[in-house]
Amino acid sequence: MLDPGLDRHDWESQWASLEDDIRESPREVLPELERLLAQMLEEAELDPTAQPGDDEPEILAEFRAGQELRRSAESDAGSAGDVAAAIEAFRLVYDTLIDERRAL
């Protein structure tokens, strides 16, 4: 694991580079947000590919909810509401990971 301050700075930089895309083409940026968050979770020593379980950290459950919403948003039946909900789920995961890094 990298120094918490260094990886937090890298994460913040990567997220900031996606902010314009979130506003301008939110549906298209969802896969990039998901990839960034998966990387962040792995660096935080959480397995984003682990099977859901009763003792699962809430952050992984929220990430999975965002993934499901992203898949729904990308389908033919996907709505703008799905896109917005996916972005909010991903933003919650991002904010939680950033806050945890600040606390280290």
Side-chain angles (χ1 to χ4, degrees):
M1 177 174 70
L2 296 173
D3 176 290
L6 293 177
D7 58 329
R8 189 189 83 229
H9 175 74
D10 185 48
W11 296 347
E12 289 172 327
S13 297
Q14 290 181 57
W15 186 272
S17 74
L18 297 171
E19 283 289 341
D20 286 341
D21 293 333
I22 291 171
R23 285 185 293 280
E24 294 171 13
S25 54
R27 185 180 311 264
E28 290 76 19
V29 78
L30 288 175
E32 293 176 61
L33 293 174
E34 184 176 336
R35 278 190 291 276
L36 172 58
L37 292 173
Q39 174 190 345
M40 290 171 68
L41 287 165
E42 288 172 4
E43 290 175 11
E45 299 179 3
L46 295 167
D47 183 0
T49 63
Q51 293 299 313
D54 293 335
D55 60 345
E56 175 179 64
E58 187 175 320
I59 191 168
L60 289 178
E62 191 67 31
F63 178 70
R64 285 195 184 86
Q67 288 179 306
E68 186 62 34
L69 288 161
R70 181 208 35 92
R71 284 190 287 272
S72 178
E74 290 177 340
S75 74
D76 291 338
S79 70
D82 292 332
V83 173
I87 289 170
E88 285 308 307
F90 286 158
R91 190 177 305 274
L92 178 63
V93 172
Y94 170 79
D95 288 342
T96 300
L97 288 168
I98 291 296
D99 288 346
E100 287 176 0
R101 284 297 189 236
R102 281 192 184 110
L104 294 179

